[in-house]
Amino acid sequence: MTFILAAMNKIPLSICRVRTPHRTIKELYIHTQSFVPKSPPVEPIHIIKLQNFVNDSKKLLVLTGAGLSTESGIPDYRSEGVGLYARSNSKPIQYSEFLNSEERRKIYWARNYVGFPRFSSFKPNTSHKVLADWEKKGKIHWLVTQNVDNLHAEAGTKNLTELHGQIEVN
């Protein structure tokens, strides 16, 4: 598949290769964390305030996006310096391009086909698991996400709306 896509001269060869490098846990952690935007440490008082808010609440609605899955190893698009747009020239295909160009659809599906094995290997992180736990405890009534990674469902969230659909691995 790699040589077919590269021969099309439409996708950089680096995107076409599916690699399964043999990394230590430490190397994998460092690589995964390279996608996480830099931020100052959370002060303990803010964690306590959040926990008190959740404890005192009933039927919370939670909205999540790409930032929640960066610690699972999935880069977001817009974070300065570490987001996908900052690290590559790749931009998402526009809906009108997808509809109007058979060639763009082929490129879109080829990139997804090649990237799927890596994408399907990501696992829920602590944030996904905490949100699922809060739902089980009756604190979260519904969770809405912009992510297609299915990690909320894998973590155990049941009351879930995935605004952009999902890519599920069977």
Side-chain angles (χ1 to χ4, degrees):
M1 186 68 180
T2 298
F3 66 91
I4 294 170
L5 296 175
M8 292 171 55
N9 290 324
K10 300 296 181 189
I11 303 173
L13 189 57
S14 61
I15 293 174
C16 299
R17 290 192 183 114
V18 178
R19 298 185 188 111
T20 54
H22 299 285
R23 295 181 175 168
T24 65
I25 298 295
K26 182 178 179 182
E27 289 170 330
L28 187 58
Y29 177 79
I30 290 169
H31 173 72
T32 298
Q33 297 307 302
S34 69
F35 299 128
V36 179
K38 301 266 186 255
S39 63
V42 178
E43 295 184 30
I45 188 67
H46 294 131
I47 294 172
I48 292 168
K49 286 181 178 182
L50 174 61
Q51 188 62 59
N52 289 339
F53 173 77
V54 172
N55 288 342
D56 295 342
S57 299
K58 297 175 189 165
K59 295 189 174 188
L60 289 171
L61 170 68
V62 175
L63 174 64
T64 69
L68 196 77
S69 294
T70 57
E71 291 189 15
S72 292
I74 302 173
D76 66 13
Y77 289 101
R78 295 175 187 88
S79 290
E80 188 174 334
V82 296
L84 190 59
Y85 295 160
R87 295 181 298 105
S88 77
N89 291 327
S90 296
K91 302 290 185 239
I93 186 171
Q94 298 298 312
Y95 182 68
S96 60
E97 278 183 277
F98 184 84
L99 290 180
N100 296 323
S101 170
E102 182 179 352
E103 183 175 331
R104 291 294 288 155
R105 285 192 299 276
K106 286 178 182 178
I107 292 169
Y108 174 84
W109 289 116
R111 285 182 66 191
N112 285 336
Y113 177 80
V114 170
F116 189 74
R118 180 172 179 259
F119 187 81
S120 65
S121 68
F122 298 115
K123 300 295 178 207
N125 63 47
T126 301
S127 297
H128 295 104
K129 293 172 186 175
V130 166
L131 291 170
D133 184 57
W134 284 347
E135 180 191 65
K136 286 178 194 156
K137 292 178 178 175
K139 297 300 177 179
I140 294 178
H141 175 67
W142 209 268
L143 192 144
V144 178
T145 186
Q146 300 176 60
N147 298 341
V148 298
D149 55 32
N150 200 41
L151 295 181
H152 285 295
E154 283 186 40
T157 297
K158 304 288 184 221
N159 297 331
L160 177 64
T161 299
E162 295 164 312
L163 291 176
H164 302 297
Q166 64 168 257
I167 298 174
E168 187 174 352
V169 181
N170 291 327

